[in-house]
Amino acid sequence: YNSVNFDIGSGAALRVTPFIQVSNLDIRNNSFTYTGGGSGYVFRIDDANIPTILDYNNYYSNASNFVYYDGAEIADLTTLQAVNNPPGNDLNSLDVDPLYVDQFNLDLMPWSQLVTAGTPVPDITDDIIGTLRHLETPCIGAFEIVEPVLLPLQAVVVYPDDEAIDVLIDLTFEWEVAEESSAPEGYMFAYWLATDNPPNIEDMDDVGLNTTT
């Protein structure tokens, strides 16, 4: 349950070398991100016999390299899975943008694909700030996000003229947290403005996000 954003030109978000005398590593539920834009890797593990479990992780890179594993450069998740050492490695892992809040705050946006994508670990019941982990489908990474409850869609339909620009839509949204709310202090509530009906959550970054706490 770690979240890493490595943004230096070389190196790796996770580095395990044979010179470090470790074995039987259980590497699960981690979000490893390389955003250095250079020659670095999401992870570099020189010997595939070091981990005994390697799965339910997320690997994301904005550069040409992906991972270095068992003495070879691996170009993508499918090739990594084909190594099959340890057996079944990364069959449930992802290779998506984790959608961190920003490069320093590695909490997840509510619509991140890492939400509910992990696997439970019996001895770890809460996240880095004390939020309880989901018993069956925890999040990948250091932060647990309560799966968002979507209110019924209330669409406002506008029909601008052909080739219209700068169409002004003046809307007011009001809500309040119920007295019996179980949301932890500082929990983020969000509303989306989109041109699709229903909204396409994958495109939310493009159409805008407004948040309040």
Side-chain angles (χ1 to χ4, degrees), residues 122-188:
D123 294 334
I124 302 177
T125 58
D126 58 4
D127 73 355
I128 193 171
I129 58 173
T131 302
L132 292 178
R133 291 284 182 181
H134 194 283
L135 294 178
E136 296 180 355
T137 54
C139 298
I140 290 175
F143 293 91
E144 187 71 13
I145 299 295
V146 179
E147 191 171 10
V149 177
L150 300 180
L151 299 177
L153 181 67
Q154 299 182 13
V156 177
V157 181
V158 179
Y159 298 96
D161 295 332
D162 290 344
E163 300 182 2
I165 59 175
D166 296 330
V167 177
L168 177 63
I169 304 173
D170 187 8
L171 301 174
T172 300
F173 299 91
E174 296 182 0
W175 70 86
E176 62 183 14
V177 180
E179 293 182 1
E180 301 298 324
S181 173
S182 60
E185 182 178 355
Y187 191 79
M188 183 176 69

Side-chain angles (χ1 to χ4, degrees), residues 47-100:
D47 185 353
N49 294 311
I50 292 177
T52 54
I53 301 177
L54 183 64
D55 203 0
Y56 288 95
N57 300 299
N58 182 63
Y59 312 120
Y60 175 74
S61 173
N62 69 350
S64 58
N65 293 339
F66 185 55
V67 304
Y68 187 93
Y69 190 54
D70 201 26
E73 292 190 351
I74 305 293
D76 52 45
L77 181 58
T78 300
T79 307
L80 177 60
Q81 292 166 335
V83 175
N84 198 37
N85 188 14
N89 71 274
D90 291 303
L91 290 181
N92 299 286
S93 292
L94 302 173
D95 57 350
V96 299
D97 186 337
L99 297 181
Y100 295 141

